[in-house]
Amino acid sequence: FFQSNLGYILGIGQTDEGLARGIQFYPQLPAILCLLVFETIAYISNSRKEKVMRTVRREIALGTKYPIVFLNIAKGFEVEDFGEYDFTRIDFSASKTFKSRVLGNISAKVQGGWVNGEFPLSKSFAYQGSRLEKGLGISTPNAFETMGVNEFYATQYVGIFTSQQFATPFWIHRLSEPRLGFSYNATIGTFEDSERHQNVMFSDTEKGFFEGGMILDGLYRSGFSHFGVGFFYRHGPYANSDWKENYALKITLKTIL
């Protein structure tokens, strides 16, 4: 175990952004196969006194009683033979978990972003949608459970993810320790000059995207892993006319240490 406080990364680099499905940026680059992005990046993360367990394969965050803050600033430059876009991109997040003997664990995360200038679609903000068209999916923390992948984009947005899990289980058994929980997620954002990105269909969330969920975690436990099930439903301005397209039934997975 170790504790991390303030981390930062400064970098400079060039990337080739492939044109997926023939996506074009107008009026520049109407018929090339890659987009050159030359940018500098400043990354700052503050997770004061966060305990982390280091394993052979990865690091597992164990949480902290202080808020975890993240800030990322990127600046793209139009440089001959190196970069073709001049833009500024900022994204941030702040998260905190509150512990209560009565209400259990209450988690909240606020995140947002802003990008301005000339940039390929890959440098805008694609919402973290995790809904599958068919089959049973896996619940993803701090993501929109009922939103499709790449369904919405934004050049400026703000979103909030909240969840609660009661501390007292319905029963305690060697293989089962179910706890009831709830989640609610919302976001609002706009996409400026969307007509400049051609050959791709997407929407923004100018009217607000909303979803709620109920989770029964710990139905089955094995070692440090707890498995459960979650039901999530999409409502509001971007709800589909067919109610079957608004819900998502997913498996939940948590690591308990």
Side-chain angles (χ1 to χ4, degrees), residues 40-78:
T40 59
I41 300 174
Y43 164 92
I44 301 174
S45 176
N46 183 15
S47 49
R48 183 182 178 188
K49 295 185 177 181
E50 182 183 32
K51 294 183 178 180
V52 180
M53 184 179 73
R54 178 175 293 165
T55 65
V56 177
R57 295 185 178 181
R58 59 174 180 160
E59 295 178 354
I60 301 175
L62 302 181
T64 173
K65 63 180 181 179
Y66 299 97
I68 298 177
V69 180
F70 163 89
L71 175 65
N72 188 75
I73 303 174
K75 173 61 180 170
F77 297 94
E78 185 177 356

Side-chain angles (χ1 to χ4, degrees), residues 16-30:
D16 294 339
E17 304 289 341
L19 285 178
R21 301 184 303 278
I23 298 174
Q24 297 176 2
F25 181 81
Y26 179 82
Q28 294 179 315
L29 311 174

Side-chain angles (χ1 to χ4, degrees), residues 19 23-24 28-36 84-85:
L19 285 178
I23 298 174
Q24 297 176 2
Q28 294 179 315
L29 311 174
I32 66 172
L33 296 179
C34 66
L35 311 176
L36 297 179
E84 290 142 343
Y85 296 98

Side-chain angles (χ1 to χ4, degrees), residues 162-208:
T162 62
S163 64
Q164 175 193 6
Q165 185 181 63
F166 288 102
T168 305
F170 288 108
W171 63 79
I172 298 178
H173 185 269
R174 181 175 58 89
L175 298 177
S176 181
E177 193 175 323
R179 288 180 169 87
L180 181 64
F182 298 94
S183 69
Y184 196 85
N185 308 320
T187 185
I188 187 171
T190 59
F191 199 113
E192 295 184 356
D193 297 328
S194 59
E195 65 276 1
R196 303 178 73 177
H197 301 269
Q198 301 179 345
N199 299 342
V200 59
M201 297 292 294
F202 63 88
S203 301
D204 60 20
T205 58
E206 183 179 9
K207 298 178 181 179

